[in-house]
Amino acid sequence: MYRFFVILFVSFILKHVSGSEVQTPKIAIIGGGIGGASASHFLSKLFNNNLKIDLYEANKIGGRLATIKIDDNEYEAGGSIIHSKNKYMQEFAKLLGIEHRPTSEQTFGIWDGTEIIFEESGSQIFTLAKLIYKYGIQPFRLHRYIDSILTDFTKIYDLQDKGQFFTNVTSMLAAMNKEFPELLHVPFKDHLLHLGYGEKLIDELVSAPLLVDYGQTTNIQSFVGCVTLSAASGNLWAVKGGNKKVPEHLIYRNGNVNVMPSYVKKIRYTTTNGFPMYEVHYLNEDSIDTIKDHYDIVILATPLTKDQEMQIAFEGIPMDSLKFVGEYHTTVATFVKGDLNPHYFGLEEELDTILSCNSTTRINSVGKLETVEGLSNNKLKMWKVFSNATLPSDVIHSIFVNVNEVKEIVWKAYPEYSTNVRLDKFKLYDGLYHINAIEWAASAMEMSAIGGRNVAILAHNEFLKKFVDKPDTHQKAPKVEL
């Protein structure tokens, strides 16, 4: 009897200390890419699976992580490489039992539009000797500098493990390194010149990866420039079966997530009993206008600039909270089955990968492909060409011979970067959050996963504050494992 009264008393105290009973949150996530997938995963952990998520995706789960099927093989059509220090992508793969895809060594050359100005050798020692002969020790100095940037960047993982969150991108970057926000406002070339690097190095070794990864020049803001070069300072990998398997598995294996194959047209904000409440207006699979309401939290995991094909209207929210300036860069991925014509690049024999360092060339890169299973076919070679515009047929047949098949995918792939001052926010309004704000710092799979976790921690913390009257001076939420 004594034990019964103790339990009853403790239950009474706990109920009244909290102020009120915390309800099960109903959450809408718009977008089924890696950002939305990671947010759904971390929210489920933070709420101990006591939540309901409707995830709206107008196309396919995976977003810009997508594959293309040619004959009986699939190839990466979107984000294709993952850095060895990308903690979340590594841990997602381990958690989900996903294999790393084997890759083979490939030789590359840098092309200036007329000739190959640097060509990798079969021997690493010879390649290093050629680098020193052409650029001195500057490539090694640059490598150390980028490695220091990457070391500071990885501080975000400890911060998020401790439950720290950020309402805007600038404060997140400043927490990693107080100088990071300044990099957003300086052209990358100016930044590197200020650090003492020569124009030749910048115009060749630095320009080439920027054109490949973002289709843009060294006028890009410096933080995203550093992120681009970080790919050269570690081992790269991909997911066997396609990188899209990560968001697919995170979403479909999560029992708290209800996938809604729908196009969201409008989000309407109201209040009920003093609490925010959102309606989501959408077109369902049968193209019927439908409304689903009473969402406590809405998370936008999709770009919101004016140039996006599927625009979302907002109602009941002050317009100054919804300023999405800028636009996304259009990149074209052309898949060609055939043989590379080395003479187009001033070569006698083909290379596996050719990177342009000249923004006026018709293509930014061309590279030999393996399937998402890690297989290659030397008899029927498959190539992927990146360009900023559709390639005319005569250009394709100049770059390649024995062309058997050509397929094209046009992407609004990543932001058009500049050094204009931006104030991108993860929190747009009460209960309304935007993961893709992080892309204006840099666009990559890991950046989206970091943005997804930040929004999950932020939304969880603010939701609990509605029910528990506790001051939030340190901007922290409970620690949660991946």
Side-chain angles (χ1 to χ4, degrees):
M1 181 66 70
Y2 171 78
R3 184 170 177 270
F4 170 78
F5 281 112
V6 169
I7 293 171
L8 188 66
F9 176 74
V10 170
S11 299
F12 176 83
I13 292 297
L14 288 175
K15 180 177 179 181
H16 285 81
V17 163
S18 66
S20 61
E21 185 180 353
V22 178
Q23 69 182 56
T24 299
K26 189 175 179 183
I27 302 171
I29 297 177
I30 291 82
I34 188 62
S38 63
S40 67
H41 169 78
F42 287 116
L43 282 165
S44 296
K45 296 293 185 182
L46 287 163
F47 281 105
N48 295 316
N49 295 315
N50 181 32
L51 75 170
K52 296 178 181 178
I53 299 174
D54 287 334
L55 188 144
Y56 295 83
E57 174 54 58
N59 295 310
K60 291 182 179 179
I61 295 297
R64 283 168 281 170
L65 300 186
T67 59
I68 185 172
K69 189 169 185 179
I70 300 175
D71 296 333
D72 294 326
N73 295 314
E74 286 188 73
Y75 302 90
E76 291 286 4
S80 58
I81 58 170
I82 305 168
H83 196 280
S84 57
K85 291 186 178 180
N86 287 168
K87 180 177 182 285
Y88 293 149
M89 293 301 292
Q90 290 272 25
E91 293 185 355
F92 287 154
K94 183 178 179 181
L95 176 72
L96 300 167
I98 294 172
E99 294 182 58
H100 285 207
R101 172 160 58 86
T103 58
S104 59
E105 292 294 325
Q106 292 193 335
T107 56
F108 78 91
I110 297 176
W111 178 57
D112 67 358
T114 303
E115 61 182 351
I116 298 294
I117 58 174
F118 183 84
E119 183 177 342
E120 184 184 28
S121 297
S123 164
Q124 186 177 16
I125 294 176
F126 286 152
T127 299
L128 291 175
K130 291 167 80 170
L131 277 172
I132 293 171
Y133 177 77
K134 191 171 180 66
Y135 305 107
I137 65 168
Q138 287 195 14
F140 309 100
R141 282 183 53 223
L142 183 58
H143 173 81
R144 287 196 298 271
Y145 172 66
I146 296 300
D147 200 48
S148 71
I149 295 288
L150 188 57
T151 298
D152 284 339
F153 177 83
T154 58
K155 293 176 182 177
I156 190 60
Y157 302 122
D158 286 337
L159 293 171
Q160 291 191 324
D161 283 346
K162 294 173 182 175
Q164 189 155 346
F165 61 83
F166 307 91
T167 59
N168 60 67
V169 176
T170 302
S171 61
M172 174 184 277
L173 295 180
M176 304 175 197
N177 181 321
K178 64 181 181 180
E179 296 180 359
F180 277 0
E182 298 175 14
L183 297 176
L184 300 176
H185 312 306
V186 181
F188 197 31
K189 182 169 185 175
D190 291 354
H191 178 62
L192 293 179
L193 287 172
H194 178 73
L195 293 175
Y197 296 100
E199 284 203 46
K200 186 176 184 179
L201 174 88
I202 297 168
D203 292 343
E204 296 177 0
L205 285 188
V206 174
S207 288
L210 291 177
L211 280 172
V212 176
D213 289 351
Y214 291 109
Q216 295 166 63
T217 70
T218 52
N219 287 325
I220 207 167
Q221 49 96 339
S222 297
F223 184 81
V224 72
C226 291
V227 169
T228 303
L229 295 189
S230 70
S233 64
N235 296 320
L236 304 178
W237 60 282
V239 170
K240 189 172 183 179
N243 293 328
K244 66 179 183 180
K245 289 178 69 175
V246 174
E248 285 178 349
H249 284 36
L250 284 176
I251 290 168
Y252 288 124
R253 291 188 186 183
N254 189 335
N256 306 301
V257 177
N258 172 41
V259 176
M260 309 275 289
S262 310
Y263 160 44
V264 172
K265 298 172 60 180
K266 184 171 73 173
I267 295 169
R268 180 173 176 266
Y269 172 84
T270 61
T271 58
T272 178
N273 298 323
F275 290 94
M277 190 274 283
Y278 286 93
E279 294 176 357
V280 172
H281 298 236
Y282 62 97
L283 284 177
N284 64 19
E285 288 181 287
D286 299 319
S287 298
I288 298 172
D289 281 305
T290 311
I291 301 173
K292 203 162 187 182
D293 59 10
H294 291 95
Y295 287 111
D296 305 290
I297 296 167
V298 173
I299 294 173
L300 300 157
T302 185
L304 296 173
T305 50
K306 298 287 187 185
D307 60 338
Q308 298 302 313
E309 181 181 353
M310 297 180 179
Q311 293 291 315
I312 300 175
F314 295 89
E315 187 177 307
I317 303 171
M319 291 307 298
D320 59 358
S321 300
L322 302 169
K323 292 181 179 178
F324 308 111
V325 298
E327 60 184 28
Y328 271 58
H329 185 88
T330 299
T331 191
V332 179
T334 305
F335 297 81
V336 181
K337 185 197 296 183
D339 296 313
L340 190 71
N341 175 14
H343 301 295
Y344 182 86
F345 302 97
L347 290 166
E348 292 300 320
E349 296 182 357
E350 71 176 35
L351 294 173
D352 298 321
T353 301
I354 296 172
L355 317 175
S356 173
C357 64
N358 183 345
S359 61
T360 66
T361 55
R362 301 295 291 266
I363 68 169
N364 297 331
S365 68
V366 56
K368 189 187 296 182
L369 287 179
E370 294 178 333
T371 71
V372 295
E373 300 298 328
L375 306 173
S376 59
N377 189 330
N378 291 324
K379 293 182 179 179
L380 291 174
K381 296 174 184 174
M382 184 64 63
W383 304 82
K384 179 163 66 174
V385 183
F386 281 127
S387 59
N388 289 337
T390 294
L391 296 175
S393 178
D394 62 318
V395 172
I396 292 173
H397 284 82
S398 296
I399 299 171
F400 299 94
V401 295
N402 304 320
V403 175
N404 287 281
E405 190 167 359
V406 178
K407 287 191 176 182
E408 177 190 86
I409 295 180
V410 181
W411 295 98
K412 285 285 184 182
Y414 24 69
E416 190 76 56
Y417 290 104
S418 73
T419 55
N420 295 333
V421 175
R422 303 189 60 87
L423 297 172
D424 295 291
K425 299 178 292 185
F426 293 112
K427 180 180 179 179
L428 300 177
Y429 201 58
D430 189 13
L432 181 66
Y433 308 94
H434 187 210
I435 293 173
N436 292 64
I438 200 170
E439 285 197 278
W440 294 95
S443 180
M445 285 176 258
E446 189 74 359
M447 293 297 288
S448 293
I450 289 168
R453 189 176 190 187
N454 179 67
V455 164
I457 298 171
L458 173 58
H460 172 259
N461 184 278
E462 295 194 335
F463 182 81
L464 292 189
K465 282 176 63 178
K466 293 180 173 68
F467 300 95
V468 182
D469 186 19
K470 269 187 179 179
D472 175 33
T473 56
H474 298 290
Q475 291 194 348
K476 291 184 179 179
K479 182 177 179 180
V480 63
E481 299 298 328
L482 183 70

